[in-house]
Structures are given as structure tokens and as C-alpha cells.
Amino acid sequence: MSCSCGHHHHTHDHHHEDETGIPIILSRPMAALTGRLICADAGQVMTALSLLPGHVDLSRAEPGCLRFDAWQDDDPLIWHISELFIDEDAFEAHQSRNRASEWGRESTAIARDFQRHEVQPLIRPASASDNTAIEALHRATGAQSDLHPSLVVSAAGTIIGHFPLGQSDARPVIHPKAQALGIDTAILKVTGAQPA
């Protein structure tokens, strides 16, 4: 199954413990969940194949969901899940919607092995490997893409902000669902740039 970040997943996990940068301390940390769905038999695999794509689409459409990816492992009984929400309330709203959904009702027998993490985003220099995610962020916000030397805001491996350096009229580009979190102000403070 494809994911929203444009990567092909085999064993890639979005949660990067080794990410470094300048932390943006949010008053309410973001909520991330990573882990696996473990099917016991072919019937559970068929449930996942038929219902998981719709669940992914509905999850991504939630106002607090920044990332929701699911991909099948080389072992067809296992699905990897990687989720990121703007805060704990958004994650709880997702859980509530999930429980009431067809996926939530029909997949209860599928084993889950999940870990939840609180996430504070990081400001760091952009790298060439970020270009696809930066371009997707610019498309989502309608901003003009500029891949010159820049900074990104990364949360659990997801690019949620971008700021081109060396341009007097540059403004931070923030994921539409994360615009109320104050990330743009944090970028301007770190760079010393003036609001446009």
C-alpha cells in the first residue's frame, strides 16, 4: 500500500530516534504511533486487504492527522502502521472514530503490537532526501517550491514545515493541519527572520 510521504516501504519506520535539530517545545506534544498489525490467518489478511485502505483514507482526512501510513511486510500476515497526530486530543478523536468504523468493528481479532510516543518537532537543515517531502508540503499549501538551502521542521520523520534561507521575503511553509501550533513563529525566532 502506498503512503502519503511518497516512499516505498519495506522495513522503513518513520519514527527516527536519532533525528537531531533544535526542538520546538509545543505546549501539547504531538502523538505518534508505530507498530504492526499481525494477522493470524488468510481470513484476517483478507479483512486487512479489503478494509484497511478505506481506514487509511478516512484517517488521513481527519483534521488532526499529519500522517497515517500502512504497508504490508514481506511476510503477508504483517502490516506496518505509522501515524502522527497534532496532539493527544487528535489521536483520541481518531481512536473514537476508529472504534465506530467498519475497520474498527471487523478487525478486532487482528493482533496489534503498537508503541505510542510523544513528539516535539525539530528544526534542522534540509537534506537532499527531504526534497520529495518538501515538494509535497508546498503542493499541499499552494506555496511555490524552493529547494535552495533551507530548514525543515520534522516530527517523527515527517516534514511538517519548510523555510528557505537567504531570501529576504521568505515565509515559513507549514503543513495546513499544523498551522495553529506556532511552528512558524519558532522558525522565525531561530532564524532571526522578520515576519513577512
Side-chain angles (χ1 to χ4, degrees), residues 150-182:
S150 58
L151 298 175
V152 293
V153 177
S154 178
T158 298
I159 303 300
I160 60 169
H162 178 245
F163 184 73
L165 297 171
Q167 298 177 13
S168 61
D169 62 345
R171 294 181 313 154
V173 177
I174 308 299
H175 189 291
K177 295 178 182 180
Q179 289 180 352
L181 300 180

Side-chain angles (χ1 to χ4, degrees), residues 18 21 38 40 48-49 62 65-66 68 70 74 78 90 96 129-130 134 140 143 145 148-150 153 161 194-196:
D18 60 346
I38 305 163
L49 286 170
E62 293 170 7
C65 181
L66 295 168
F68 195 102
D74 289 338
I78 297 175
S96 179
S129 64
D130 296 324
I134 292 169
S145 186
H148 288 92
S150 58
V153 177
Q194 298 299 316

